[in-house]
Amino acid sequence: MVELCRVDDRLLHGQVAVAWSNAISPDAILVANDEAATNEMTKMALKMAKPSGVKLAIKTINDAATLLKDERTTQTKIFVITRTIQDALGLVQQLEGQIKKVNIGGVKKNEGAKMLAPGVFLNENDLATLKDLKNYVDVVEFQMVPSESKTDLEKILK
């Protein structure tokens, strides 16, 4: 069962490994990103950042969807992390309502992007993708760390 899906361009790092893992207490972390799943150096770095006692899987978007559709994952608290909003959309589109909440964390500045929340820089394409994402999940929220207050997508879009 997916406890939370988080978009964070740094994927699994100290803030996620400590703060988010403590807040969620997952049995497993699933990194869903095509590039990370095929890059041995990235996989090695992610494995080193993994909290002890928590399983880690690093999969492409399609393989992550296949894994999450497996009945054996229904009894496992899973924390999903994607690198981009587009990755999150690609995953939720394949999972027929299995992911209820998407948390937007760190999204680095790119061309044409504006800061819409602390640490979150989005361009027009990202905003369009977020609006599409909202059609598949119950909640899209912005929050860097669990101790900070959440900001709902609707407030960002105003």
Side-chain angles (χ1 to χ4, degrees), residues 140-154:
V140 177
E141 64 190 17
F142 294 76
Q143 184 180 27
M144 287 298 287
V145 293
S147 60
E148 291 180 359
S149 61
K150 303 170 189 173
T151 304
D152 188 76
L153 174 62
E154 301 307 318

Side-chain angles (χ1 to χ4, degrees), residues 113-131:
K114 302 184 292 190
M115 186 170 83
L116 296 180
V120 178
F121 295 85
L122 303 176
N123 60 28
E124 291 301 320
N125 182 45
D126 296 328
L127 288 170
T129 303
L130 273 177
K131 289 174 186 173

